[in-house]
């Protein structure tokens, strides 16, 4: 499985934008980039995913490099509730069927008031 | 929808005892996943079902672990006999499908069961 590399931890101030990087230099052409996050004492929750183009939803934006070897999750205005571990996951595409979620260590985001 | 429901939320048991964890997936979801989370190993997939049939159990640690899905709305993960190294948080998740790139493969996780084996 293609691997991802994320910083262990990041800090942000409340109401400021946060850019969470993810390197995936061995990504294959059909791998999707998924982001999940895990709030303290909760199960992981889906944030966003993309293949080649940048993606936006109500939670975040995903910026994907042109060569797809890296991506950045963007939280436009961090709130205290965004403090969580963020996981960047590559999901292999087996002829249209999605591979399993393989969680790495993720980035622990702290948000200061 | 109530989301994925897991019970119990906390379980404390003694080594050698049988432990049964329960999960109710989101109604209509065809896929059900069991994960385990520890500080040492992070989040690991144990097994997943499609339409109540186990598809991939390669993550199940050993024969002491077994999982069943008797119907579309209920699954169990059983550990017999339990050992202290089984102490972890066990998550159940479900998804509508598994089609690459679509929204149907988004996994929805339950709140987890924190298991402590003394």
């Amino acid at each position: 499985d293609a691997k991802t590399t994320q910083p262990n931890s990041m800090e942000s101030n409340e109401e400021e934008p946060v850019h969470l990087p993810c390197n995936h230099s061995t990504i294959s052409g059909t791998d999707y980039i998924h982001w999940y996050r895990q709030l303290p004492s909760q199960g992981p929750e889906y944030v966003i995913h993309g293949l080649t183009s940048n993606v936006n939803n109500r939670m975040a934006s995903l910026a994907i490099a042109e060569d797809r070897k890296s991506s950045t999750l963007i939280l436009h205005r961090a709130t205290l509730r965004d403090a969580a571990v963020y996981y960047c996951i590559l999901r292999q595409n087996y002829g249209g069927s999605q591979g399993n979620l393989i969680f790495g260590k993720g980035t622990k985001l702290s948000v200061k008031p | 929808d109530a989301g994925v429901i897991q019970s119990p939320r906390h379980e404390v048991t003694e080594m050698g005892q049988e432990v049964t964890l329960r999960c109710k997936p989101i109604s209509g979801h065809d896929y059900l996943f069991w994960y385990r989370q520890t500080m040492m190993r992070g989040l690991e997939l144990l097994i997943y079902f499609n339409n109540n049939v186990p598809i991939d159990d390669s993550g199940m640690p050993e024969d002491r672990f077994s999982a069943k899905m008797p119907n579309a709305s209920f699954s169990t993960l059983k550990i017999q006999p339990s050992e202290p190294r089984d102490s972890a948080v066990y998550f159940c998740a479900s998804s509508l499908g598994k089609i690459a790139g679509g929204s149907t493969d988004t996994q929805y996780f339950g709140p987890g069961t924190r298991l402590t084996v003394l």
Side-chain angles (χ1 to χ4, degrees):
Chain A
D1 294 315
K3 297 213 181 306
T4 63
T5 303
Q6 300 178 253
N8 289 333
S9 62
M10 291 184 64
E11 270 192 358
S12 170
N13 294 317
E14 197 176 12
E15 297 190 5
E16 290 186 358
V18 182
H19 290 230
L20 296 162
C22 180
N23 287 322
H24 29 78
S25 58
T26 60
I27 190 171
S28 76
T30 55
D31 287 349
Y32 280 82
I33 303 160
H34 286 245
W35 285 81
Y36 279 71
R37 73 178 184 180
Q38 187 172 18
L39 302 171
S41 301
Q42 294 189 28
E45 65 174 345
Y46 167 81
V47 178
I48 200 166
H49 77 278
L51 182 63
T52 56
S53 305
N54 295 343
V55 184
N56 300 298
N57 66 20
R58 63 174 181 81
M59 288 181 73
S61 295
L62 177 59
I64 301 173
E66 199 168 327
D67 64 5
R68 300 207 329 125
K69 295 189 176 189
S70 65
S71 60
T72 302
L73 180 70
I74 302 166
L75 307 179
H76 296 285
R77 287 182 71 224
T79 68
L80 296 178
R81 196 195 173 277
D82 291 321
V85 177
Y86 287 78
Y87 298 96
C88 170
I89 302 166
L90 299 184
R91 297 193 72 179
Q92 291 185 291
N93 181 345
Y94 299 104
S97 179
Q98 198 67 276
N100 293 330
L101 282 176
I102 300 174
F103 289 84
K105 295 190 184 304
T107 296
K108 184 174 184 178
L109 175 66
S110 302
V111 180
K112 296 185 289 185
Chain B
D1 200 319
V4 174
I5 299 172
Q6 292 187 247
S7 64
R9 293 293 310 276
H10 301 272
E11 177 81 39
V12 180
T13 190
E14 293 191 345
M15 184 174 64
Q17 296 298 305
E18 177 179 297
V19 175
T20 299
L21 311 181
R22 297 172 177 80
C23 175
K24 176 179 168 53
I26 293 173
S27 176
H29 281 193
D30 290 335
Y31 286 84
L32 183 139
F33 306 83
W34 281 100
Y35 291 85
R36 177 174 68 174
Q37 186 171 35
T38 62
M39 290 293 291
M40 291 285 290
R41 301 175 64 92
L43 259 167
E44 309 172 276
L45 176 67
L46 299 178
I47 186 171
Y48 80 88
F49 295 81
N50 177 24
N51 292 325
N52 314 335
V53 176
I55 302 300
D56 182 359
D57 65 354
S58 59
M60 295 285 264
E62 47 197 275
D63 292 344
R64 297 184 298 107
F65 285 69
S66 63
K68 293 182 180 178
M69 193 165 184
N71 57 61
S73 59
F74 183 64
S75 177
T76 59
L77 178 68
K78 187 177 293 187
I79 308 173
Q80 166 64 15
S82 58
E83 296 183 2
R85 60 192 168 120
D86 302 330
S87 297
V89 180
Y90 291 81
F91 290 103
C92 176
S94 69
S95 70
L96 195 57
K98 218 166 182 270
I99 298 174
S103 60
T104 59
D105 74 334
T106 296
Q107 291 187 22
Y108 296 84
F109 285 75
T113 295
R114 181 173 295 277
L115 173 65
T116 303
V117 183
L118 302 174

